[in-house]
RNA sequence: GGCGGCGUAGCUCAGUGGUAGAGCAAGCGGCUCAUAAUCGCUGUGUCGGCGGUUCGAAUCCGCCCGCCGCUACCA
């Protein structure tokens, strides 16, 4: 069996925290890509999940008076709940405490140990007793812990090390021969500079706490959480358990990540795979941070905004549209409520929602709610059809370039073109003209406008699945287009005689709530 | 300190050698089917500063100013 599946992943999220809009940003973007590829008729596997090992989870659990596993069980539903509200269409949700993950992880570790890629070494560094953790020498200020401002001690710990340094040349070769392995380009440059500066071996086990995957040949050690976590991308698709499934899915086409975890994905992960003798992912794409007031969003800055708050006001579509449409995916982008509200009203309520509303109002009052049989197309209809084709091409290009904003701008331009088409054809004037010619023309205009809306419902379905369903319901169409993209967009596919049902506004205008 | 990036209309940004662009916001006009909506028109910019290369630079080079990222295990 060879690879036949488009496979993309989000990071697995660390369960010491509940989701904020930064996590949701990554996940929404990945979902947009997954839905687009499904719409193209591709077999898609979209993976997300949770990372549940490590010291911080143990600490968070202890603070809550729970065992780590119980804590994780308690937090995971908080994540799934947000993904459900956001219409995240993941095909699988992996938790790193699952047997299907830990068993293959141990097996691979044993393989690396047996073949000499792992050795027992000694780690020495500044250690804060109060924190119970090691620091980097650069983090220590005047010999004091940066958090407790108390003296640190030099402590030694025996750890197992992964021979990361041995893969330095092969990693550099990877970045050079496959320039888009890491994207955007600025991130690739960072990674390349980092690796060229020289790699140290990676300490991959801990003995100071016990919440992790045990090292199989020395159970006093647990695995460093990143070495465990990264492997979710292969264990979730059958590595070590279902070889046929693994081969048809792996390697991943895209790992979508935030820029904070670039090194793990662009350096450690490919090195581990090289050691394991497995194929490498095709692309690692690191997007930027959302910033609030010019600062990285975080709980400590009190800038961590709950997705629920925004979902209550904007719904899944308003939420998804804003984060996909505003900003450049690879760069940091400023989040602001005002910008989100402005975008919602300008694009979704005014341009798109009102287009549906005005068109169906006319079909309802002029043709009793039945899509009329169109007459001969004029130049205006030909032009509108061209605009639809351009929107589809723009969507393709935007996805290909990992530029959701460009993709959605292209699609929205069809809504604007349709509004313009209606204004120029002025069906409300035609309706007042009793001649058969005018009636025929009116039918053509309203058919064409309705067909354009049908196309918009398809083109917007990856970004705004719920809105797409609402629009299609009003058009009297099935909620989901099941035919693949080129076919579904044949101009004139909408059947005359279809009964439309003008309903509630698809996107009601919103007033600022502060 | 080293390496890298950014600084373009009020706002968010696109634009890598050839007369400065989009969307939003603002002003004016049209239309009335529609969610005070839609459509058209309008302006605006020393393209961070200084110097250089070039017939010609926002776009290439140098210096300066400002902001940011990376400089290893913090999942």
């Amino acid at each position: 069996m060879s690879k036949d599946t488009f496979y993309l992943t989000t990071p697995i999220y660390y369960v010491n925290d509940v989701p904020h809009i930064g996590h949701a940003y990554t996940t929404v973007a990945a979902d947009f890509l997954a839905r687009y590829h499904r719409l193209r008729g591709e077999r898609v596997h979209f993976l997300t999940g949770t990372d549940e090992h490590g010291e911080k989870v143990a600490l968070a659990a202890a603070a809550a008076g729970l065992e780590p596993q119980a804590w994780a069980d308690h937090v995971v539903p908080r994540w799934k709940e947000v993904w459900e509200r956001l219409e995240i269409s993941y095909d699988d949700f992996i938790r790193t405490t699952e047997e299907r993950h830990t068993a293959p992880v141990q097996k691979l570790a044993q393989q690396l140990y047996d073949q000499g890629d792992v050795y027992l070494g000694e780690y020495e560094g500044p250690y804060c007793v109060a924190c119970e953790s090691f620091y980097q020498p650069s983090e220590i200020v005047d010999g004091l812990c940066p958090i407790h401002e108390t003296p640190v001690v030099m402590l030694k710990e025996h750890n197992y090390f992964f021979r990361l340094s041995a893969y330095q040349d092969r990693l550099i070769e990877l970045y050079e021969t496959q320039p888009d392995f890491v994207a955007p380009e600025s991130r690739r440059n960072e990674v390349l500079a980092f690796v060229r500066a020289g790699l140290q071996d990676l300490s991959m086990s801990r003995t100071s706490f016990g919440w992790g995957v045990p090292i199989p040949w020395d159970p006093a050690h647990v695995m460093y959480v990143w070495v465990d976590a990264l492997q979710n991308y292969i264990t979730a698709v059958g590595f070590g358990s279902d070889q046929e499934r693994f081969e048809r899915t792996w390697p991943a086409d895209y790992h979508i990540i935030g820029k904070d975890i670039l090194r793990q994905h662009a350096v450690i992960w490919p090195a581990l795979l090289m050691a394991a003798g497995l194929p490498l992912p095709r692309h690692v794409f690191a997007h930027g941070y959302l910033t609030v007031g010019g600062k990285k969003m975080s709980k400590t800055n009190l800038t961590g905004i709950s997705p629920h708050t925004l979902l209550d006001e904007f719904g899944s579509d308003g939420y998804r549209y804003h984060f996909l449409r505003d900003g450049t995916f690879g760069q940091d982008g400023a989040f602001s409520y005002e910008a989100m509200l402005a975008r919602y009203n300008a694009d979704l309520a005014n341009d798109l929602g009102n287009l549906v509303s005005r068109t169906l109002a006319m079909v309802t009052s002029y043709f009793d709610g039945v899509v009329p049989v169109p007459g001969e197309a004029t130049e205006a209809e030909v032009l509108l059809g061209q605009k639809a084709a351009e929107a589809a091409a723009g969507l393709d290009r935007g996805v290909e370039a990992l530029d959701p904003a460009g993709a959605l701008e292209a699609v929205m331009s069809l809504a604007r073109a349709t509004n313009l088409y209606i204004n120029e054809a002025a069906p409300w004037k035609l309706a007042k003209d009793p001649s058969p010619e005018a009636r025929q023309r009116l039918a053509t205009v309203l058919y064409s406008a309705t067909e354009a809306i049908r196309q918009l419902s398809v083109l917007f379905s990856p970004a705004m699945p719920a809105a797409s369903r609402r629009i299609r319901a009003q058009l009297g169409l099935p909620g989901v287009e099941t035919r693949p993209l080129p076919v579904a967009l044949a101009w004139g596919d909408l059947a005359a005689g279809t009964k439309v049902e003008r309903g509630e506004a698809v996107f009601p205008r919103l007033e600022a709530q502060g």
Side-chain angles (χ1 to χ4, degrees), chain A residues 9 50 91 102 162 168 202 246 248 271 281 302 311 356 383 404 421 478 497:
Chain A
T9 69
T50 45
D91 295 296
T102 55
F162 169 63
Q168 178 170 337
L202 177 74
F246 182 60
R248 67 191 299 177
L302 297 177
L311 276 163
V356 174
L383 182 64
Y421 167 78

Side-chain angles (χ1 to χ4, degrees), chain A residues 25 30 35-36 57 80 116 144 164 205 275 307 349 487 514:
Chain A
Y25 179 56
R35 287 177 182 271
Y36 170 85
V57 170
K80 288 189 171 176
L144 302 179
L164 183 60
S205 75
V487 177

Side-chain angles (χ1 to χ4, degrees), chain A residues 240-416:
Chain A
S241 62
D242 182 343
Q243 186 64 18
E244 181 188 325
R245 177 162 176 245
F246 182 60
E247 286 177 8
R248 67 191 299 177
T249 311
W250 186 258
D253 292 271
Y254 284 102
H255 290 314
I256 304 294
I257 60 169
K259 66 182 183 181
D260 51 328
I261 53 176
L262 176 62
R263 178 161 312 139
Q264 288 79 0
H265 286 79
V267 181
I268 297 174
W269 181 225
L272 284 172
L273 289 165
M274 286 171 183
L278 294 171
L280 307 182
R282 293 178 176 168
H283 304 285
V284 173
F285 187 93
H287 70 249
Y289 284 140
L290 292 173
T291 60
V292 174
K295 290 182 179 169
K296 178 192 172 185
M297 183 165 346
S298 74
K299 286 178 100 174
T300 48
N301 281 344
L302 297 177
T303 49
I305 297 164
S306 163
H308 291 292
T309 310
L310 295 172
L311 276 163
D312 289 342
E313 183 169 358
F314 294 97
S316 70
D317 302 303
Y319 189 110
R320 292 168 62 106
Y321 186 77
H322 168 68
F323 285 102
L324 292 169
R325 174 66 186 85
D326 286 306
T328 303
F329 190 48
Q331 297 172 221
D332 287 359
F335 171 79
S336 87
Y337 171 83
E338 291 73 19
M340 185 169 181
L341 182 68
R343 179 63 76 183
Y344 176 93
N345 280 329
D347 286 14
L348 298 183
N350 295 353
D351 287 348
L352 179 59
N354 182 242
L355 170 65
V356 174
S357 185
R358 68 193 301 210
T359 303
L360 296 191
M362 289 188 280
V363 173
T364 300
S365 54
Y366 303 151
F367 290 98
D368 289 326
V370 176
V371 176
V373 179
E376 199 166 333
T378 69
E379 210 173 303
E381 284 73 43
V382 172
L383 182 64
L384 186 60
Q386 283 172 4
K387 293 289 184 187
E390 284 167 20
L395 174 63
D396 294 343
R397 268 198 313 275
V399 170
E400 181 66 25
L402 286 208
D403 174 19
L408 294 190
E409 165 62 18
V411 175
M412 193 56 81
S413 69
L414 174 58
R416 299 201 183 94

